[in-house]
Amino acid sequence: MAASLEQFAELHCRSNFTFLTGASHPEALVARAATLGYRGLALTDECSVAGAVRAHLAAKAHGLELAIGTEINLLENVKLVLLAPHRKAYGQLSSLISRARRRSPKGEYSLALADLGWGVAECLALWVPGNEPFETVLGHGRALKQLFPKLWIALELLQDGDDLDIAARALTLSMRLDLPLVASNDVLMDSASTKPLQDVLTAIRLKRPVASLGTALYANAERHLRPIERLLEIYPRELLAESVRILEACTFSLDELRYEYPRELVPPHLTPARHLHELTFAGATERWPDGVPNDVRALVEKELLLIAELGYEYYFLTVHDIVAFARSQHILCQGRGSAANSAVCYCLGITEVDPSRMHLLFERFVSKERNEPPDIDVDFEHERREEVIQYIYKRYGRHRAAITATLITYRPRSAIRDVGKALGLDLDLVDLLAKSLSWWDERDVLEQRCREAGVDPGSHIVQQFLSLVQQVLGFPRHLSQHVGGFVISRGPLAELVPIENAAMADRTVIQWDKDDLDALGLLKVDVLGLGMLTAIRKTFDHLQALAGRSLTMSTVPAEDPETYRMLQRGDSVGVFQVESRAQMSMLPRLKPSNFYDLVIEVAIVRPGPIQGNMVHPYLRRRQ
């Protein structure tokens, strides 16, 4: 029987952002659902929306409807899937995840039925009944019915020998509690062929070889996106149709999220544009006490107009506020990145790059046509950066400020070690193979290393090992904290994205990384630590103590010839931005004689020009 596109939407689906459990990328799940003719998909990673942005982008590309949700397992052994039908419900969902994560160590969460008594009533709830005594389960259902005005019983039939009992219990609960039923499938994989990888991930999570796991592994491969024709053989058509009705109620999209910077940065009687204008020209007067040059004034006015057109005033004001604090505490700092190279940033004290010397094109960094958010990285003395971080937390509160996450993924060495242990391979051999590889090595290199270690790469177990290593490469392993990217919001940040504890004390991170924020057009401020600034600070202190000479970043003599003679010799050990082997090799060839030459030289030794065969730091072109 041909399946209609209107027949089914999978509402319970965990990706590999349910770390070491889900066995498919969010993008792969979305693509497979589209191929199978599903009406839509709900991504419901466990107490997380970390993979939601990637699913969102994939769903837009495939024209598939996507619902945002999460699976939570309560302390009472109750499993729920919560879905966000609209923006308010998403804020409740995100806040609930934050509460669960913030009260627990990194990587864990804790929620009880009592925690659902407020703040999540707008969410749609799917309840997956457990196998406890019936009266216990019935009591759970009664409690949930009081908490959620819109509650369904999720019937999940996975062909593992218990389907008849599960269906009978679900029907009985439905009648006793007067709750509707809906079909869902606790999906962990895009296809059944991914089951070996899911077993390996389970073994890694449980820290035991696959061969010893027994019933800790799922009995079959049914937790994948199954064809609608197959689902019609398992479930009544009405339960499949109910999934589509629930999906249709979930109209929320991540495109609705709007980032708002704190209001307290602007005095009540001023607009953001006016306040930024006043701060900028106050700074310009300090930079040019004898009068702001006409060309600089025109450049500043032009930049301020573009910033106002794009609505980025709060971004520049936020960075200025952080830098002003650092300078008040005599902490050296220096802005860099795209928008930092502007006359406005120079006037605000964010950078020491004088626009009258550099003549940089502001549209190169902030442009209406590209519609990209500005990017300012601010480096602080690495020994005092923590003071700046704690200032941000104190000024805005932990409910409005958190660090961006960094997604840690599997690379060849970690993949080899974890997969090898999961398959029960000899640990010495696994360690030898891992140490023999570099991150850029391909599969055939690993096969060669196996031969060198006396292992036949053609054997069944080694072929399985190599295949699983390739599959797990790039898989999310866990979330870590970004080196310093801060997200600061006007209202509770947890209503925008969940917040959880970092491994480091007194640090909190959001569940999205830099790429996710960029994809949604959300802004962050990078608060970074730089050892060179600490060295410069100590040099200034020594000059003051030994020679009585007082220097600041703005009064260091520019274009010192001896400095450039040293650079032309490649004498740049420890000099920020030009200390790599590639830079030290290029310096004697390009022989920069002023700051702009140095900017060009640094820009050339980047992956883009090298991969484009424009230049190579080690090879000379044939004439």
Side-chain angles (χ1 to χ4, degrees):
M1 178 174 13
S4 164
L5 293 180
E6 303 297 318
Q7 283 181 318
F8 185 62
E10 180 53 66
L11 301 177
H12 185 192
C13 186
R14 289 175 286 167
S15 73
N16 54 14
F17 280 81
T18 300
F19 303 122
L20 300 180
T21 299
S24 293
H25 292 281
E27 302 92 329
L29 292 165
V30 168
R32 179 63 175 164
T35 299
L36 292 174
Y38 284 21
R39 173 69 176 271
L41 182 81
L43 190 70
T44 58
D45 282 310
E46 187 172 359
C47 201
S48 173
V49 295
V53 175
R54 297 168 194 224
H56 167 72
L57 296 177
K60 290 174 69 174
H62 287 277
L64 190 78
E65 294 182 43
L66 178 74
I68 303 298
T70 188
E71 175 191 301
I72 57 174
N73 290 276
L74 304 178
L75 296 176
E76 293 87 351
N77 202 27
V78 174
K79 178 183 289 188
L80 284 175
V81 173
L82 301 182
L83 303 174
H86 44 68
R87 175 64 180 91
K88 182 178 179 182
Y90 172 79
Q92 293 179 348
L93 183 73
S94 180
S95 297
L96 179 70
I97 294 172
S98 298
R99 290 205 306 273
R101 292 286 186 181
R102 285 298 314 279
R103 64 175 54 158
S104 306
K106 173 180 165 56
E108 301 177 16
Y109 73 96
S110 176
L111 278 176
L113 271 169
D115 294 310
L116 306 180
W118 59 278
V120 290
E122 299 285 339
C123 294
L124 309 184
L126 277 59
W127 170 40
V128 184
N131 56 4
E132 296 87 353
F134 183 78
E135 289 302 321
T136 300
V137 177
L138 187 64
H140 292 160
R142 288 180 177 133
L144 292 172
K145 190 173 180 180
Q146 295 297 315
L147 295 169
F148 294 98
K150 296 181 179 179
L151 175 67
W152 286 261
I153 295 175
L155 179 59
E156 299 185 338
L157 303 179
L158 300 166
Q159 312 291 285
D160 56 5
D162 295 326
D163 284 2
L164 287 177
D165 292 339
I166 291 172
R169 171 170 284 207
L171 286 169
T172 304
L173 289 169
S174 175
M175 290 185 292
R176 293 280 295 272
L177 297 169
D178 190 25
L179 290 174
L181 289 165
V182 64
S184 66
N185 296 288
D186 191 18
V187 169
L188 296 173
M189 306 166 281
D190 62 315
S191 64
S193 62
T194 314
K195 179 61 162 61
L197 176 60
Q198 204 281 322
D199 290 346
V200 165
L201 294 173
T202 301
I204 295 171
R205 187 180 77 251
L206 299 179
K207 297 181 173 60
R208 291 161 51 195
V210 171
S212 70
L213 290 179
T215 57
L217 298 175
Y218 291 114
N220 56 36
E222 291 296 299
R223 283 176 168 79
H224 70 278
L225 293 171
R226 296 181 281 188
I228 294 178
E229 292 82 358
R230 175 63 177 144
L231 295 175
L232 286 168
E233 297 172 357
I234 298 172
Y235 297 102
R237 183 182 296 269
E238 294 76 11
L239 299 194
L240 300 181
E242 186 69 12
S243 70
V244 174
R245 285 191 284 272
I246 295 173
L247 179 73
E248 289 174 342
C250 296
T251 60
F252 169 72
S253 167
L254 291 180
D255 287 335
E256 297 178 41
L257 298 182
R258 293 293 179 268
Y259 194 69
E260 296 179 322
Y261 271 94
R263 291 183 183 274
E264 61 262 39
L265 294 172
V266 180
H269 62 287
L270 294 177
T271 64
R274 186 62 197 171
H275 187 46
L276 180 61
H277 187 280
E278 291 184 359
L279 287 174
T280 301
F281 276 97
T285 302
E286 293 182 10
R287 294 291 195 182
W288 291 279
D290 297 329
V292 181
N294 290 333
D295 58 338
V296 172
R297 181 180 294 275
L299 179 60
V300 170
E301 292 284 7
K302 178 184 176 182
E303 291 182 4
L304 287 172
L305 180 62
L306 181 56
I307 290 170
E309 287 183 17
L310 295 174
Y312 290 146
E313 297 98 333
Y314 274 111
Y315 181 78
F316 285 85
L317 290 171
T318 302
V319 178
H320 168 263
D321 176 72
I322 296 170
V323 167
F325 164 77
R327 295 190 186 282
S328 72
Q329 302 300 308
H330 306 291
I331 301 173
L332 281 187
C333 58
Q334 170 68 19
R336 57 187 172 91
S338 59
N341 298 301
S342 67
V344 168
C345 283
Y346 182 66
C347 295
L348 292 175
I350 295 171
T351 181
E352 298 299 336
V353 178
D354 185 345
S356 64
R357 290 175 51 215
M358 293 296 103
H359 303 291
L360 297 172
L361 183 64
F362 188 56
E363 287 83 351
R364 163 67 178 80
F365 310 118
V366 177
S367 168
K368 288 188 293 185
E369 288 72 20
R370 290 200 310 275
N371 193 29
E372 296 174 354
D375 177 30
I376 301 177
D377 299 343
V378 186
D379 295 310
F380 299 88
E381 297 176 48
H382 80 291
E383 292 181 353
R384 300 189 65 187
R385 183 178 71 127
E386 189 63 27
E387 297 176 45
V388 180
I389 289 175
Q390 294 307 318
Y391 164 75
I392 294 173
Y393 279 134
K394 183 178 180 180
R395 176 135 168 68
Y396 301 105
R398 289 184 179 272
H399 65 295
R400 293 198 296 153
I403 297 175
T404 305
T406 292
L407 184 65
I408 305 301
T409 59
Y410 272 107
R411 296 193 174 189
R413 290 187 177 184
S414 57
I416 287 170
R417 285 194 170 96
D418 279 6
V419 172
K421 291 176 184 177
L423 295 179
L425 301 183
D426 179 77
L427 296 183
D428 290 336
L429 172 63
V430 169
D431 190 56
L432 177 64
L433 291 174
K435 289 180 177 178
S436 69
L437 281 185
S438 298
W439 63 267
W440 58 81
D441 287 333
E442 302 290 341
R443 176 191 172 102
D444 57 348
V445 176
L446 182 54
E447 292 182 352
Q448 179 183 338
R449 297 292 184 268
C450 288
R451 290 191 188 94
E452 293 171 355
V455 176
D456 177 14
S459 69
H460 173 71
I461 184 64
V462 175
Q463 282 294 306
Q464 184 182 42
F465 166 69
L466 295 175
S467 174
L468 289 166
V469 167
Q470 290 296 319
Q471 291 178 59
V472 85
L473 286 176
F475 256 52
R477 185 63 175 82
H478 62 271
L479 289 177
S480 183
Q481 69 176 44
H482 188 269
V483 291
F486 257 96
V487 180
I488 306 168
S489 65
R490 178 177 301 174
L493 181 57
E495 293 182 2
L496 181 74
V497 55
I499 304 171
E500 58 183 57
N501 295 320
M504 183 181 295
D506 298 323
R507 296 285 180 87
T508 50
V509 301
I510 64 172
Q511 287 189 336
W512 291 337
D513 67 10
K514 176 185 179 297
D515 293 338
D516 296 330
L517 292 172
D518 290 345
L520 294 178
L522 303 179
L523 303 181
K524 67 176 178 62
V525 178
D526 282 316
V527 178
L528 308 173
L530 183 61
M532 181 55 64
L533 284 175
T534 304
I536 292 173
R537 160 63 65 198
K538 292 181 178 179
T539 301
F540 287 166
D541 292 343
H542 283 305
L543 280 172
Q544 180 67 43
L546 299 177
R549 187 179 182 186
S550 178
L551 283 179
T552 65
M553 292 283 285
S554 60
T555 59
V556 172
E559 311 295 8
D560 175 51
E562 180 56 33
T563 298
Y564 289 99
R565 280 193 287 271
M566 292 174 62
L567 291 173
Q568 290 167 7
R569 296 194 300 268
D571 186 4
S572 61
V573 175
V575 180
F576 182 57
Q577 293 280 35
V578 290
E579 58 186 326
S580 69
R581 288 181 59 245
Q583 295 284 358
M584 293 170 69
S585 174
M586 189 66 79
L587 285 168
R589 294 168 56 189
L590 297 186
K591 296 188 180 299
S593 59
N594 55 52
F595 186 73
Y596 194 73
D597 287 351
L598 192 59
V599 170
I600 298 300
E601 191 277 332
V602 170
I604 285 175
V605 187
R606 295 284 183 176
I610 293 174
Q611 292 170 1
N613 201 31
M614 294 171 60
V615 68
H616 197 288
Y618 306 128
L619 302 178
R620 295 185 181 274
R621 287 184 179 272
R622 294 180 180 177
Q623 300 298 322

